[in-house]
Amino acid sequence: MNRSENINLKFCLFNVENLFLLFDEPPSDSVLKLDEIQWQKLSTALSDNKPLKKLHALAKVILDIHADIYMFCEVGGAESLNHFNRLFLNSEFSTCLIEGNSDRNIDVGFLIRKGLPFYFDLQTNKNHRLEVPEKLARNNAVTQLFSRDVTELRLFEKCTENPFLLCLLTHLKSTRDPHNIDPNGSLKRTAEVKGLVEIYQDLKLKNPKTPILVCGDFNGNASLQKTDPEFKIIYEVLDLKDILELAQVEKEARSTFYQVSNISLTRTEGKQIDFCFLNTEAQKHLQIPSVQVYRYKDEFGSPLPPPKTLAEKQGHPSDHYPVIFKLENLSLTKEEQKI
């Protein structure tokens, strides 16, 4: 196979925390010079726009990581993603997002660097029916659909039905229980994990030789150690493995989210709730040294320590940390798959 038929790709999974950029009128580049009060007045939408200072910091992180494909959670729709790409990233990417089921209008979406030698297609599973417990099904406020979505990104050279890489991106049910019927959101999240497993199994059946990624904000411990009950099915029936486990990243370096307290400076708790799982085929292409959880940096470019206070945490571009990895020697041209 010629070298031109192979490709290396850098990926980044990132919950960008309420990435809303909504405007009453099409914005010009001059809006970036406004102060925060003026910035917020550009929109009368119900959701506040992400603070201007945080947007600049977020763009700096994205440019520093320099990935080919960004997998985002908590994006305020296609409009917000398009505005962010144009105003803050010099339109370096193609945007890719389908509106999901979120009652907070936060979706999952992609930025794909322009100029890469392949095409892409995005499909939704937002109408996939879940088997939720009867106590939830009886409550009209709890639907039998995903809280957000499980979007399917297909990368292909010539035919969308013959992809060389597949990616499922999701943002599972949070721990919120506004109706006091599902403590910690566990019942709904369990149903969503089962739905995710079904979607993955169907995708793998149709594409048995294709590398597949399953990524997202899982809102719980889906790691191999002390796995939350709802995620155990991943290890029991699937061939998926977490990239941080595959790379044997030190436990203290795996945290993608820190729980902090304003009461005590000693109660900073780091946990991994953002995951990138690879199937057996994708594992063959993982560049182990590339795997890391990115740390925010100070003005001198040195990694910042974990936040000790809520104020420190709120000063970061997001309340989550990005997960980075590379896949190497992916074959763009391959034989049609036979099931």
Side-chain angles (χ1 to χ4, degrees):
M1 179 176 291
N2 297 328
R3 291 179 60 86
S4 61
E5 295 175 331
N6 291 344
I7 188 172
N8 301 333
L9 292 175
K10 186 175 184 179
F11 294 83
C12 174
L13 169 67
F14 196 2
N15 182 319
V16 287
E17 189 189 14
N18 297 323
L19 183 63
F20 288 97
L21 286 88
L22 304 173
F23 303 98
D24 295 345
E25 300 292 339
S28 65
D29 293 346
S30 62
V31 300
L32 302 184
K33 300 178 181 179
L34 300 177
D35 61 30
E36 185 60 29
I37 294 177
Q38 294 171 322
W39 170 256
Q40 294 297 338
K41 287 182 178 179
L42 295 175
S43 171
T44 55
L46 294 177
S47 301
D48 291 340
N49 281 338
K50 193 173 181 72
L52 196 53
K53 183 178 180 180
K54 285 194 173 188
L55 286 165
H56 282 295
L58 186 66
K60 186 176 181 179
V61 168
I62 290 170
L63 294 175
D64 185 39
I65 292 172
H66 198 70
D68 298 301
I69 297 178
Y70 291 88
M71 304 172 285
F72 284 168
C73 298
E74 291 202 17
V75 179
E79 181 182 348
S80 292
L81 192 58
N82 289 334
H83 285 318
F84 181 63
N85 181 44
R86 185 180 71 80
L87 292 173
F88 293 89
L89 300 175
N90 197 33
S91 298
E92 291 184 12
F93 300 89
S94 297
T95 60
C96 198
L97 184 149
I98 297 174
E99 184 178 347
N101 302 321
S102 173
D103 57 4
R104 293 170 50 201
N105 297 316
I106 52 173
D107 299 308
V108 295
F110 298 84
L111 289 179
I112 302 175
R113 188 172 297 281
K114 293 179 179 178
L116 295 172
F118 55 78
Y119 299 98
F120 62 86
D121 182 41
L122 191 65
Q123 301 180 23
T124 178
N125 287 286
K126 65 181 180 181
N127 295 319
H128 183 92
R129 303 293 293 185
L130 304 174
E131 295 183 12
V132 301
E134 185 178 352
K135 66 176 293 187
L136 296 187
R138 290 198 304 264
N139 191 305
N140 293 331
V142 179
T143 72
Q144 293 179 276
L145 304 175
F146 285 101
S147 300
R148 262 72 67 160
D149 196 358
V150 177
T151 59
E152 176 192 329
L153 179 71
R154 307 172 72 90
L155 305 184
F156 58 96
E157 186 191 33
K158 295 180 180 179
C159 176
T160 184
E161 299 304 319
N162 189 33
F164 70 86
L165 185 74
L166 293 162
C167 176
L168 295 176
L169 177 61
T170 190
H171 184 181
L172 298 179
K173 174 68 180 70
S174 72
T175 58
R176 295 188 307 126
D177 180 26
H179 308 291
N180 296 315
I181 58 172
D182 186 10
N184 204 40
S186 297
L187 294 177
K188 181 64 182 292
R189 192 162 52 255
T190 297
E192 292 189 357
V193 174
K194 290 181 179 178
L196 177 61
V197 168
E198 292 168 356
I199 292 168
Y200 168 76
Q201 288 177 320
D202 182 62
L203 195 63
K204 184 183 177 184
L205 181 64
K206 296 175 181 176
N207 303 272
K209 298 180 181 180
T210 302
I212 303 177
L213 320 179
V214 180
C215 306
D217 179 351
F218 280 51
N219 268 312
N221 180 17
S223 71
L224 194 58
Q225 289 77 34
K226 299 181 179 179
T227 315
D228 287 344
E230 59 262 41
F231 303 114
K232 290 183 178 179
I233 187 174
I234 293 175
Y235 299 99
E236 292 170 350
V237 304
L238 304 182
D239 63 336
L240 299 177
K241 291 187 178 180
D242 170 26
I243 61 168
L244 299 184
E245 187 69 32
L246 287 167
Q248 297 184 335
V249 174
E250 295 291 333
K251 182 179 179 181
E252 58 271 16
R254 298 188 185 190
S255 296
T256 63
F257 182 87
Y258 287 91
Q259 194 74 42
V260 300
S261 170
N262 270 338
I263 301 175
S264 170
L265 298 182
T266 62
R267 290 187 59 188
T268 298
E269 179 187 358
K271 58 182 73 174
Q272 182 191 0
I273 62 175
D274 303 274
F275 291 86
C276 296
F277 289 99
L278 309 186
N279 75 337
T280 302
E281 290 299 319
Q283 292 167 31
K284 300 173 184 177
H285 299 277
L286 180 63
Q287 187 184 96
I288 295 296
S290 72
V291 178
Q292 65 167 305
V293 177
Y294 180 94
R295 298 304 173 196
Y296 300 128
K297 300 175 181 179
D298 62 20
E299 62 270 29
F300 305 107
S302 299
L304 290 168
K308 293 183 178 179
T309 66
L310 188 58
E312 286 185 9
K313 181 177 176 178
Q314 291 176 338
H316 291 168
S318 170
D319 57 355
H320 289 242
Y321 289 77
V323 181
I324 306 169
F325 63 100
K326 293 180 181 179
L327 298 182
E328 55 187 0
N329 295 321
L330 291 164
S331 174
L332 286 176
T333 56
K334 59 188 184 65
E335 296 179 0
E336 296 289 333
Q337 299 189 72
K338 297 180 181 180
I339 301 176

